[in-house]
Amino acid sequence: MAKDKKAFVKEITPQSEDFSRWYLDVIQKADLMDYSPVRGCIVFKPDSYEIWETCQRELDKEFKRTGHRNAYFPLFIPESFFQKEKEHVEGFNPELPWVTEAAGEKLEERLAVRPTSETMIGHMYAQWIQSYRDLPLLLNQWANVVRWEKRTLPFLRTSEFLWQEGHTAHATEEEARQETLQMLDIYTSFVEDFLAVPVIRGQKTPSEKFAGAVDTYSIEAIMKDGKALQAGTSHYLGQNFAKGFEIQYLDKDNQLKYVYTTSWGISTRLLGALIMVHGDDRGLSLPPKVAPTQVMIIPIGPQKAREAVVEAANGLFQTLQNAGIRVRMDARDDVSPGWKFNEYEMRGIPVRLEIGPRDLENRQVVLVRRDNGEKLFVPMDELTEALPKLLDDIQQSMFEAAKQFRAEHSYSATSLEELTTYINEKRGFVLAGWCGDDQCERAIKDACGATSRNIPFDPPAKPEQCVTCGKSAAHAVWYAKSY
Amino acid sequence: MAKDKKAFVKEITPQSEDFSRWYLDVIQKADLMDYSPVRGCIVFKPDSYEIWETCQRELDKEFKRTGHRNAYFPLFIPESFFQKEKEHVEGFNPELPWVTEAAGEKLEERLAVRPTSETMIGHMYAQWIQSYRDLPLLLNQWANVVRWEKRTLPFLRTSEFLWQEGHTAHATEEEARQETLQMLDIYTSFVEDFLAVPVIRGQKTPSEKFAGAVDTYSIEAIMKDGKALQAGTSHYLGQNFAKGFEIQYLDKDNQLKYVYTTSWGISTRLLGALIMVHGDDRGLSLPPKVAPTQVMIIPIGPQKAREAVVEAANGLFQTLQNAGIRVRMDARDDVSPGWKFNEYEMRGIPVRLEIGPRDLENRQVVLVRRDNGEKLFVPMDELTEALPKLLDDIQQSMFEAAKQFRAEHSYSATSLEELTTYINEKRGFVLAGWCGDDQCERAIKDACGATSRNIPFDPPAKPEQCVTCGKSAAHAVWYAKSY
């Protein structure tokens, strides 16, 4: 799949010129995806899929550590199931694709391709849960889901995407609420520690919550164009689905009671966040913890010294691979080192390792950081110690840089006019007071296109008045334009 | 999900009485699956899904070791794609479910839910492959697929199932053929070493090959009712899909050439094989390498000694878990040890570890093997050494027992009458000569319902005449009824 030469021809549009164009350029040039012949569906090429596999592995470990197990439920959901939770059907009906025929015959009941599985899982839970002994029931599913979106954008909003959806049932509201927040914490740690993407944790306003939830919590990240991306959500569903699907259990007191359920998910849209938080005009920049390749070895120098250099490079490759570093080498001699430098910077590989004849003499190599361009001369013998430390340092620096960017693009507003100015001219997140009225929230969207991201758990300030109506503020809310 | 008491009520039908009933009883009682409200689609409950995860992890390692990478292609395939390979459309058209509407509108072109992805991947490969430098292209996909089968059977033949499909493209026929056989080897090692299921490797006859393949190779296993189960296939596709989708590359000699492609897959039907090869009238029996729980600790003895016993059992649990053994403990005291013994035998857990007051005094435990019922007294201090060895021994014994069963149910026939008698009365695999004519193969199916399983690479004998027409035999073929 090395379309190297072709990729080199086309430059990446600078972020400042056209951020959307920059994004689309980068994801294709870095060979992360391709468009498919099906509307809004993309192909995940090996590098992006490998990042997703790393996300899966890490999150799955955390899910299992906290007592969840994986299961797999059917892709198709009978139409009648969507009718059982009123808000749910209203929320998802406009986006459903329908299977109406199979094996040459018209189906008696249309089948939706799942947009999420609360209904199917609710139906099954009703069969499985009978006694308090069956609770809590803690399952997760890794799956593909489909939402027929009008406007699509690779990774961020595609007709089909990959995700995980956790679904749990509990005896008490308290336990279900704890679960909801526990999973939000797991998402927070994962996104911040692995993807180096800082997030704001908080509760969605009623107008932005999941269709069928009592309360939705989210983590929100800021992209380099100042727009927000919802990076994960966790829903306290109360007894809404339990009542819709008759999920009841016989309690210790011999009473039949409805369970309390939760659901929570993250998806391949995280890849979009990764790209838009760390990327720059030279292309992608991947945090070491999720980079499919962490170190790229490039032998340099004149042809006559080549054999010795490549031999030494091969030795380093083996040493680093044995040390558990995800390393690759590009020893092709029909492509110039300069071309390779650009190419692997563009692909976001965290560290470039150069080795030439003089380095060989000095028993050292040159390491170049993708994140800040820093060059380091490191003795060969110290590489297996120095590299893991360097990778950690890069991971940390990238997280700090992203926090710095967010700090520089966070504002607070005390009037609608001020808020609108920040949104339109400064771009970023704006904190403002909210009285709790849907109308006031909507007025902001109408004025500047920003929506409430969430009501943060730890607001940096406590605004006194609703930014729209001036009444007493019940909450501090982050507003931003969003993906 | 502990429906323990309920499960205990219903007995398992003996294999000898009704093997199909036995199978359906076991998979439900062992809590492996449940039926869903969608025709032919099942729910994979945590134990069966965990077995599948283990299969995935192991195979994925082998795929990557041999240079493959994972990618993900769209679930939906435009109708027109199926027309591009004539045999392929004929083979799959009768089983396709169609999405005809989405988001409230009728689609311009119907979309099939993928039954397999040769067409979609062929279309993408045509964009990605341009030069000999782009070859070989070695990708794999883990995905769900759908085939709207008329008669379904949990795990073995479900409308939706989970699988992996490898798709590779090569510059030469030789390389593609090598790849095809390499993957068959990987499947063979995996199924024999991990699932302890012995298989026969061979080539499918033309009438049984994959729709669109030049040659199909398979591994075939024998179930305890004597029926065959195709456990994995690897296809040499020649240039059929390359020509259908215009997958061409510019070779070193500056000539535009078609690539040679392969595809290969295994699926969740392997779970069916696992159950039907090792299970018995007491229920499931899982090989240690894929058992979600390898050892179940059950504290026993009178109530007054219980505290000390449970404390010691807890200590063992920690020790074994730290030693990397997949161990669980059932210390409930509202359920009798006898009930637990039956329950975990039924769930196929390879080793039961009993510990009671007298064992505590003697610093020993009792280990009971699920596969052959053997009881062993092992000093506590030796457990972390003894258990891994015991698990290995069980794995090996189960494989040997399965091979023994196969040997006892393999026959060879020199006449159609003899073959028919073996199939109908002895049940099992029958080796017979075949002239190469489709008609002769069909006559066998008509006579007794057996189909050709494959032409084995290493036939135990070389029949001289075609079992049907008496002409000179071109091949030795294994025949059996099959799932």
Side-chain angles (χ1 to χ4, degrees), chain B residues 21 55 95 181 184 213 218-219 267 282 314 380 435 453:
Chain B
R21 196 65 251 164
C55 295
E95 298 179 349
L181 294 177
L184 194 75
S218 74
I219 51 175
S267 76
R282 288 176 296 136
N314 262 321
M380 284 188 195
C435 62
R453 299 325 306 153

Side-chain angles (χ1 to χ4, degrees), chain B residues 73-120:
Chain B
F73 295 85
L75 172 67
F76 300 124
I77 299 178
E79 183 165 18
S80 55
F81 278 36
F82 283 93
Q83 310 302 332
K84 298 193 181 184
E85 211 295 328
K86 197 177 131 285
E87 287 185 12
H88 194 68
V89 63
E90 284 169 10
F92 284 102
N93 232 1
E95 298 179 349
L96 299 178
W98 294 101
V99 173
T100 58
E101 306 161 20
E105 288 177 21
K106 203 164 179 305
L107 299 180
E108 283 181 29
E109 181 178 10
R110 297 196 300 175
L111 298 172
V113 183
R114 68 178 158 220
T116 180
S117 303
E118 277 76 9
T119 56
M120 175 60 77

